[in-house]
């Protein structure tokens, strides 16, 4: 009998060509693939919970007799049914219902319901529970916990359960291959772990499963993280097999540039510049992550790296995530590099028609040595004559594959471009080991001298008037301030509206003050005008949405008010706060929060008051919000694992590295099967 890695899902009952096709979209083709499609969570339908023991927020089965059913006319019409067991009563509530439904809930009917209890206007309630009528002595509860599978569309939970249940039966005849070296496993074997996670027994420790700390989960999480680590390793190896221009260090040019800066580099800047410079001199492409807190001087280091490429006759592309940031970089780089007779250009989405053509043709002809822009730089029609280095700012918004696509702009005969990725969002070590194992990492861990730490206070919104007065005072004394408006909604339009309303209100209250406004809905020229007015001191208060999060540099601004900071992640708050404290004046940040503030909210904002160290803040953010939020990659799916969870499994990471290392050294034949098993695809990079 063939191993289950070789048996098609078509063998299973109920799987015809249509379903097989849908399964293939999940990367599921063989029986074994199904076994690795693991539940996201579990429901406990193995027991009936007495109503009195139902707790808020936990899914339970309850069973009782309908005492009363009626339509209630509150804020919203709803059908309510009170049901009672020996221990207490609970209200079922349906906002969508039919007449037949109401009739079926007649008093005396015995119901079994599954749902989540919550506090409602009439005590414990369940909204839209699953329910059915049962006989008093029905013995048909489930025998194991009910898995809930990840699914998008096309395949229902019952279908997944049936498929995976069938796949489990095959385990009695053939086991999936154990791919980790024996001595590295976590106690529970592979098959036992899979069986346990697809159908945990009724007495399974739900709490452990929820946390991800059951031995079965640990076993598989280790394997998954090893597979992930190996795939990044393959990616990197493949990348290094390609050539890149060797760009020799250019000490004279750098000396000239340093005198343009007008300040010496810090020790940390020197160190990372040496690392980068060494990479650039090698004949294969650099992939380096440059981390450093806001204002630590990354851009300055990037300019030195750019100059090394230019001095070797190559072009440099600098990509920023927003127009405002691109603008800012354009100004910095022009100031530094124009005096050295270097031709610069810029290319963003707003450059159109003739001007755009001119720019792209000058890039193609190699007349522009350094071009700053947004992702518009990487549109198809943009061709570089001799692209040698790509610098990406704020990389946490890009995924691994986007990262690589950028360097392909170099002409094939010249090899790939080197790549330097800058991020001001410090990435906790635990995360970078997983998310960026394909990058080398340089860290600027020292601020330029003379920086004043920003003192941060938490003030509740009832003292808003006092804060407004304080802003007025600071501005009268010649300083400048930001007033940042936040909204939970992602919608640009709503954010813009909110900022506009605040600006109007402040203008009314502070008629003597020049107040600017900037938000994502303004036209690029308007944004630029608002920034220029603030930079030149024409306006002293700038009301803004979080568009000013990154890169904006106005040293005279020394006060920042952030409204509703509880809505933002810590990393984002840290970014925002980094806009002040860039000059020599003592700087302040006021977190103007909305009451009541949850305990978690208090703890989070407390971190901002206590620490100004981006790494400490990022570590806390990870604990409080999870990696998807911290990396800003929920959309890209970069950190979506099947079993592994971070930070819950962070303690496995050292082991992950050693196991992955051992596999690379002693069992390279296991690399492909592991990647294949966990990522569902052949690593396209390993094929070459
Ligand atoms: P980042 O990109 O890390 O936010 P920048 O490179 O934009 O930081 O530098 C922030 C500010 O500090 C800029 O105004 C820059 O000119 C200044 N700066 C950078 N390095 C130094 C240094 N070594 N000494 C003094 N000022 C510096
Ligand atoms: Mg910067």
């Amino acid at each position: 009998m063939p191993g289950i890695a070789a048996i098609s899902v078509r063998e299973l009952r109920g799987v015809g060509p249509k379903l097989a096709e849908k399964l293939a979209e999940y990367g599921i083709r063989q029986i074994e693939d199904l076994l690795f499609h693991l539940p996201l969570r579990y429901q406990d339908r193995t027991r009936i919970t007495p109503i009195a023991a139902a707790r808020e927020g936990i899914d339970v089965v309850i069973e009782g007799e309908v005492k009363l059913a009626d339509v209630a006319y509150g804020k919203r019409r709803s059908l309510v049914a009170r049901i009672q067991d020996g221990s207490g009563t609970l209200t079922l509530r349906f906002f969508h219902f039919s007449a037949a439904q109401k009739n079926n809930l007649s008093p005396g009917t015995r119901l079994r319901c599954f749902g989540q209890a919550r506090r409602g206007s009439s005590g414990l309630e369940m909204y839209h529970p699953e329910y059915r009528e049962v006989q008093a002595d029905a013995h048909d509860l489930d025998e194991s916990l009910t898995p809930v599978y990840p699914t998008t569309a096309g395949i229902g939970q019952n279908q997944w359960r049936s498929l995976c249940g069938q796949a489990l039966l095959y385990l009695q005849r053939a086991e999936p291959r154990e791919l980790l070296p024996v001595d590295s496993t976590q106690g529970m074997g592979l098959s036992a772990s899979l069986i346990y996670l697809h159908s945990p027994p009724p007495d399974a420790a739900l709490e452990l499963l929820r946390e991800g700390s059951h031995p079965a989960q640990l076993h598989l999480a280790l394997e998954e993280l090893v597979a992930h680590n190996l795939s990044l390793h393959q990616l990197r190896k493949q990348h290094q097999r390609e050539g890149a221009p060797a760009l020799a260090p250019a000490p004279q040019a750098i000396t000239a540039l340093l005198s343009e800066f007008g300040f010496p580099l810090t020790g940390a800047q020197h160190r990372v510049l040496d690392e980068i410079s060494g990479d650039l001199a090698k004949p294969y492409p650099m992939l380096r992550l440059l981390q450093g807190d806001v204002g630590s001087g990354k851009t300055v280091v990037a300019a030195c790296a750019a100059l090394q490429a230019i001095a070797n006759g190559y072009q440099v592309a600098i990509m920023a995530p927003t127009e405002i940031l691109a603008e800012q970089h354009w100004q910095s780089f022009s100031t530094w590099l124009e005096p050295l007779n270097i031709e610069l250009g810029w290319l963003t989405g707003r450059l159109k028609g003739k001007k755009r053509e001119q720019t792209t043709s000058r890039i193609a002809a190699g007349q522009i040595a350094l071009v700053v822009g947004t992702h518009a730089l990487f549109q198809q029609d943009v061709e570089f004559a001799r692209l040698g280095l790509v610098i990406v700012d704020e990389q946490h918004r890009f995924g691994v594959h986007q990262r690589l696509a950028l360097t392909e702009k170099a002409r094939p005969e010249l090899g790939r471009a080197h790549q330097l990725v800058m991020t001001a969002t410090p990435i906790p070590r635990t995360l970078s080991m997983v998310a960026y194992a394909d990058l080398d990492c340089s860290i600027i861990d020292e601020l330029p001298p003379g920086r004043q730490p920003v003192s941060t206070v938490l003030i509740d919104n009832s003292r808003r008037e006092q804060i407004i007065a304080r802003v007025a005072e600071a501005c009268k004394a010649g300083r400048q301030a930001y007033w940042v408006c936040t909204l939970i909604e992602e919608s640009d339009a709503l954010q813009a509206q909110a900022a506009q309303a605040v600006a109007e209100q402040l203008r009314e209250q502070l008629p003597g003050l020049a107040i600017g406004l900037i938000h994502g809905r303004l036209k690029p020229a308007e944004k630029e005008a608002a920034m220029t007015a603030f930079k030149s001191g024409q306006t002293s208060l700038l009301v803004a949405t979080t568009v000013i999060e990154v890169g904006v540099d106005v040293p005279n601004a020394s006060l920042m008010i952030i409204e509703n900071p509880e809505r933002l992640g810590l990393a984002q708050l840290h970014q925002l706060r980094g806009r002040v404290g860039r000059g020599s004046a003592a700087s302040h940040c006021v977190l103007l929060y909305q009451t009541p503030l949850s305990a978690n909210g208090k703890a989070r904002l407390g971190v901002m008051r206590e620490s100004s160290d981006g790494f400490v803040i990022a570590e806390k953010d990870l604990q409080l919000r999870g990696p998807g939020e911290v990396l800003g990659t929920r959309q890209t799916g970069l950190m979506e694992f099947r079993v592994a969870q971070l930070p819950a499994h962070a303690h496995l990471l050292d082991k992950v590295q050693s196991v992955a290392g051992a596999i690379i050294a002693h069992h390279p034949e296991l690399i492909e099967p592991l990647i294949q098993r966990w990522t569902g695809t052949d690593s396209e990079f390993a094929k070459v």
Side-chain angles (χ1 to χ4, degrees):
M1 140 147 208
I4 56 173
I7 308 176
S8 159
V9 287
R10 290 294 298 275
E11 300 285 313
L12 299 177
R13 195 165 18 84
V15 183
K18 270 226 174 96
L19 184 53
E21 211 169 281
K22 282 190 212 158
L23 287 168
E25 285 172 29
Y26 290 83
I28 296 172
R29 292 181 180 81
Q30 319 297 345
I31 305 275
E32 178 172 322
D33 301 332
L34 260 177
L35 292 171
F36 286 89
H37 187 73
L38 291 157
L40 283 174
R41 56 193 172 84
Y42 302 92
Q43 297 170 341
D44 186 356
R45 297 167 190 260
T46 66
R47 74 196 87 204
I48 294 171
T49 302
I51 287 176
R55 274 190 281 120
E56 263 183 280
I58 309 258
D59 284 324
V60 285
V61 181
I62 57 164
E63 193 173 304
E65 202 181 290
V66 176
K67 287 291 160 193
L68 171 153
D70 206 355
V71 176
Y73 296 88
K75 256 186 258 163
R76 259 174 95 191
R77 207 170 70 106
S78 60
L79 170 63
V80 295
R82 285 193 77 69
I83 71 164
Q84 188 173 56
D85 66 5
S87 74
T89 59
L90 178 145
T91 301
L92 311 181
R93 193 181 287 277
F94 303 87
F95 294 102
H96 311 281
F97 59 93
S98 62
Q101 209 175 353
K102 180 175 177 241
N103 294 335
N104 290 340
L105 293 177
S106 56
T109 311
R110 199 170 175 76
L111 293 185
R112 184 175 295 166
C113 313
F114 179 81
Q116 213 173 79
R118 56 165 91 199
R119 286 269 147 228
S121 51
S122 61
L124 270 192
E125 302 194 348
M126 257 184 201
Y127 288 5
H128 289 269
E130 293 172 33
Y131 71 96
R132 66 187 168 92
E133 190 175 342
V134 285
Q135 299 309 314
D137 48 3
H139 289 288
D140 52 357
L141 286 157
D142 287 354
E143 279 170 13
S144 57
L145 296 179
T146 312
V148 179
Y149 288 94
T151 191
T152 43
I155 305 180
Q157 287 299 334
N158 284 334
Q159 225 166 352
W160 280 120
R161 285 168 200 152
S162 151
L163 292 170
C164 293
Q166 290 185 63
L168 286 179
L169 298 177
Y170 280 79
L171 282 179
Q172 294 164 2
R173 293 188 269 159
E175 303 207 342
R177 194 170 151 212
E178 190 70 75
L179 295 177
L180 292 188
V182 212
D183 56 336
S184 63
T185 56
Q186 293 280 312
M188 218 164 150
L190 179 59
S191 295
S193 299
L194 291 170
I195 293 170
Y196 194 94
L197 293 181
H198 282 287
S199 61
D203 63 350
L206 260 180
E207 206 49 45
L208 282 187
L209 286 172
R210 230 173 257 137
E211 288 168 6
S213 48
H214 189 277
Q217 287 164 311
L218 294 178
H219 180 96
L220 292 175
L222 179 74
E223 188 176 312
E224 181 172 32
L225 289 168
V226 167
H228 178 80
N229 182 293
L230 290 171
S231 79
L232 289 178
H233 180 268
Q234 292 293 89
L235 196 67
R236 179 192 179 110
K237 213 170 94 182
Q238 197 270 335
H239 192 79
Q240 293 202 335
R241 250 184 248 138
E242 293 181 37
L247 307 170
Q252 279 176 348
I254 299 291
T255 308
L257 178 59
L258 288 181
S259 71
E260 290 301 326
F261 291 150
F263 48 73
L265 296 184
T266 62
Q269 283 172 317
H270 268 300
R271 175 171 48 75
V272 303
L273 183 56
D274 281 348
E275 290 165 0
I276 295 166
S277 173
D279 280 0
L280 291 176
K282 291 180 185 142
Y284 53 85
M286 167 173 81
L287 255 187
R288 188 171 277 279
L289 180 64
L290 176 55
Q291 291 192 63
D293 233 329
V294 271
S296 60
K298 295 180 295 297
T299 315
V300 156
V301 169
C304 298
L307 189 58
Q308 181 167 339
I310 294 167
N312 281 271
Y314 280 83
Q315 290 171 300
V316 178
I318 298 181
M319 183 165 85
T322 65
E323 302 244 345
I324 293 187
L325 240 190
E327 188 70 35
Q328 189 102 31
H329 280 326
W330 163 248
Q331 283 174 9
S332 308
F333 282 88
S334 306
T335 315
W336 297 326
L337 297 179
E338 263 170 4
L340 306 179
N341 293 321
I342 290 168
E343 284 291 319
L344 286 87
W346 66 269
L347 188 65
T348 68
R350 59 192 253 225
L351 194 65
K352 300 228 157 72
K354 267 243 142 53
K355 281 199 167 158
R356 183 170 195 284
E357 262 166 48
Q358 264 170 15
T359 304
T360 52
S361 68
R362 291 181 65 221
I363 294 172
Q367 288 159 346
I368 291 179
L370 182 146
V371 54
V372 182
T374 56
H375 55 271
L377 278 175
F378 293 92
Q379 275 159 12
Q380 270 216 316
D381 64 328
V382 183
E383 281 174 31
F384 289 82
R386 287 167 69 77
L387 184 62
L389 170 64
V390 174
I391 298 174
V392 184
D393 198 0
E394 290 311 322
Q395 88 118 81
H396 59 292
R397 294 162 203 225
F398 303 102
V400 175
H401 296 278
Q402 280 165 303
R403 219 143 67 200
L404 284 179
L406 304 183
T407 58
E408 283 167 357
K409 279 282 176 187
R411 291 237 304 279
E413 67 273 21
L414 301 174
R416 269 183 197 262
H418 294 281
Q419 187 169 181
L420 179 67
V421 173
M422 302 194 278
T423 177
T425 309
I427 299 160
R429 200 185 77 91
T430 42
L431 267 195
S432 66
M433 275 169 70
V434 177
Y436 302 111
D438 61 325
L439 300 185
D440 293 305
C441 192
S442 293
I443 298 179
I444 305 184
D445 50 6
E446 176 188 353
L447 292 178
R451 289 286 166 79
Q452 303 265 1
V454 181
S455 80
T456 299
V457 290
L458 273 56
I459 291 182
D460 91 60
N461 196 38
S462 65
R463 289 165 60 196
R464 192 184 179 86
E465 298 302 315
Q466 263 169 275
I467 298 304
I468 294 176
R470 186 164 152 192
V471 169
E473 228 170 86
C475 292
K476 274 195 199 114
R479 292 190 284 143
Q480 288 176 286
Y482 297 98
W483 190 293
V484 185
C485 305
T486 63
L487 266 192
I488 307 174
E489 287 84 357
E490 297 281 297
S491 147
D492 266 3
L494 288 174
Q495 297 211 1
Q497 256 176 29
Q500 201 146 7
V502 169
E504 275 161 28
Q505 184 218 346
L506 290 171
R507 279 174 185 148
E508 223 162 84
Q509 279 186 268
L510 305 171
L513 210 64
I515 300 178
L517 171 66
I518 189 163
H519 57 67
R521 269 300 172 100
L522 293 181
K523 298 206 179 75
E526 295 171 321
K527 281 190 213 165
E528 196 178 309
M531 276 321 298
T532 312
F534 190 60
K535 269 194 150 177
S536 68
Q538 247 172 299
T539 49
S540 34
L541 175 61
L542 185 63
V543 176
T545 57
T546 49
V547 295
I548 58 151
E549 182 187 342
V550 277
V552 171
D553 192 8
V554 180
N556 190 46
S558 59
L559 176 60
M560 173 174 282
I561 317 297
I562 304 178
E563 279 204 71
N564 307 311
E566 67 277 5
R567 292 170 176 174
L568 300 183
L570 293 185
Q572 204 178 1
L573 285 172
H574 183 62
Q575 284 279 316
L576 281 169
R577 184 172 60 180
R579 302 303 109 218
V580 291
R582 308 200 125 214
S584 49
S587 294
H588 302 274
C589 176
V590 176
L591 303 177
L592 195 59
Y593 65 90
Q594 213 48 266
T595 48
L597 189 57
S598 69
N600 183 288
K602 246 183 213 142
R604 279 156 32 83
L605 296 185
V607 173
M608 293 303 296
R609 186 179 48 204
E610 304 310 327
S611 180
S612 57
D613 181 331
F615 281 93
V616 171
I617 291 172
E619 233 16 284
K620 291 276 184 199
D621 208 23
L622 177 61
Q623 283 165 21
L624 295 165
R625 290 196 314 156
E629 298 280 342
V630 173
L631 291 172
T633 52
R634 258 177 319 167
Q635 310 85 336
T636 66
L638 178 60
M639 296 296 287
E640 273 164 26
F641 294 114
R642 300 189 199 179
V643 231
Q645 299 173 29
L646 290 170
H649 293 142
H651 63 282
L652 293 177
L653 289 175
D654 284 329
K655 184 153 188 182
V656 167
Q657 290 222 304
S658 65
V659 174
I663 290 175
I664 292 164
H666 308 298
H667 303 282
E669 76 284 358
L670 296 176
I671 296 176
E672 257 327 281
L674 273 165
I675 293 175
Q676 164 72 36
R677 174 179 283 175
W678 287 100
T679 65
T681 49
D682 307 308
S683 81
E684 48 187 296
F685 307 99
K687 278 191 209 146
V688 186

